[in-house]
């Protein structure tokens, strides 16, 4: 019986990345919500054997009315895995497919991975997005997952939309206390 499946990344915060952001840690809103979606319920063991994350760079140059695009890739992490997906956790979605969350939080190297912790220089430049009148630099994340199913190896790839990369850490702002009208004014 044939089963068609694919990987989906459902993250609200993948439109921007700051230096030192966690990527796979629970509640980080980056790559912590990955799902395996299938057209029918799998009834065979599924083992994850490898994960790889790349940062794709697209630089567009405009000179004398002509544009040129350079594309490059920077490997952020590649890890062998030996992790079985629990097929009992598949559930049916309203559209008739079946899905299971791929939980990577117990993989120590992924849980600790922070974006650009080493302050990479890629092709001589720090990692950050920008647009000027003649040059535009965009980034995307490319996630490769490898599975072994009944002795056969399957590879999947997910490429995110454009990610705005910041070269500095995200600043956290302390919220001011709420004003309540019945507070007495200071003396």
């Amino acid at each position: 019986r044939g089963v068609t499946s694919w990987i989906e990344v459902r993250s609200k915060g993948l439109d921007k990345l700051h230096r030192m952001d966690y990527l796979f840690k629970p509640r980080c809103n980056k790559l912590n919500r990955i799902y395996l979606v299938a057209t029918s319920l799998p009834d065979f063991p599924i083992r994850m054997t490898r994960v790889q994350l790349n940062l794709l760079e697209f630089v567009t140059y405009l000179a004398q009315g002509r544009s040129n695009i350079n594309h490059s890739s920077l490997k952020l992490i590649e890890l062998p895995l030996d992790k079985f997906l629990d097929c009992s956790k598949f559930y049916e979605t309203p559209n008739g497919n079946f899905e299971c969350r791929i939980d990577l939080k117990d993989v120590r190297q992924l849980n600790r991975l922070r974006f650009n912790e080493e302050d990479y220089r890629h092709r001589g430049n720090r990692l950050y997005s920008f647009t000027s009148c003649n040059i535009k630099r965009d980034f995307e994340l490319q996630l490769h997952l490898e599975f072994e199913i009944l002795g056969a190896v399957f590879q999947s790839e997910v490429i995110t939309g454009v990610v705005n990369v910041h070269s500095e850490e995200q600043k956290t702002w302390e919220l001011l206390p709420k004003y309540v009208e019945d507070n007495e004014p200071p003396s």
Side-chain angles (χ1 to χ4, degrees):
R1 170 180 87 163
V3 176
T4 302
S5 63
W6 60 93
I7 299 296
E8 292 183 3
V9 176
R10 301 177 190 157
S11 297
K12 297 175 184 174
L14 265 180
D15 56 339
K16 63 183 171 196
L17 273 177
H18 289 86
R19 187 166 175 253
M20 302 299 284
D21 279 354
Y22 285 103
L23 295 175
F24 290 92
K25 195 174 192 100
R27 296 180 299 282
C28 71
N29 289 324
K30 304 297 181 209
L31 296 170
N32 59 315
R33 296 185 63 218
I34 303 170
Y35 292 84
L36 176 62
V37 183
T39 54
S40 59
L41 187 61
D43 57 354
F44 40 78
I46 302 172
R47 184 171 72 99
M48 291 184 58
T49 57
R50 186 177 69 91
V51 61
Q52 180 178 332
L53 182 64
N54 300 322
L55 183 69
L56 305 179
E57 177 194 48
F58 301 90
V59 182
T60 307
Y61 302 92
L62 179 64
Q64 299 176 348
R66 295 186 145 185
S67 67
N68 239 345
I69 297 177
N70 287 339
H71 172 264
S72 61
S73 177
L74 176 65
K75 187 185 301 182
L76 300 178
I77 193 167
E78 182 176 15
L79 258 163
L81 296 175
D82 187 17
K83 182 172 178 57
F84 282 90
L85 293 181
D86 185 357
C87 289
S88 69
K89 291 190 176 179
F90 273 89
Y91 58 90
E92 190 169 4
T93 62
N95 63 5
N97 290 327
F98 293 85
E99 66 182 35
C100 175
R101 188 170 182 163
I102 297 175
D103 195 9
L104 297 171
K105 69 181 177 193
D106 57 339
V107 179
R108 177 181 240 163
Q109 295 94 326
L110 294 177
N111 203 7
R112 291 182 179 175
L113 180 66
R114 290 178 154 219
F115 177 71
N116 199 14
E117 188 171 8
E118 295 84 4
D119 198 10
Y120 290 124
R121 293 201 177 270
H122 183 56
R123 294 184 165 191
N125 298 309
R126 292 180 77 192
L127 297 182
Y128 60 94
S129 302
F130 68 88
T131 301
S132 69
C133 56
N134 291 335
I135 302 172
K136 183 177 181 185
R137 187 182 192 200
D138 288 323
F139 295 95
E140 294 176 349
L141 289 172
Q142 178 186 43
L143 177 67
H144 289 279
L145 294 173
E146 192 172 277
F147 299 92
E148 185 181 302
I149 301 171
L150 302 174
V153 175
F154 297 91
Q155 295 180 352
S156 67
E157 174 189 75
V158 176
I159 297 178
T160 66
V162 174
V163 177
N164 192 11
V165 172
H166 299 271
S167 62
E168 303 300 326
E169 292 181 49
Q170 185 173 13
K171 298 192 179 359
T172 55
W173 302 98
E174 185 177 317
L175 295 175
L176 295 173
K178 281 191 169 187
Y179 175 76
V180 181
E181 280 191 43
D182 49 314
N183 283 353
E184 281 189 38
S187 55

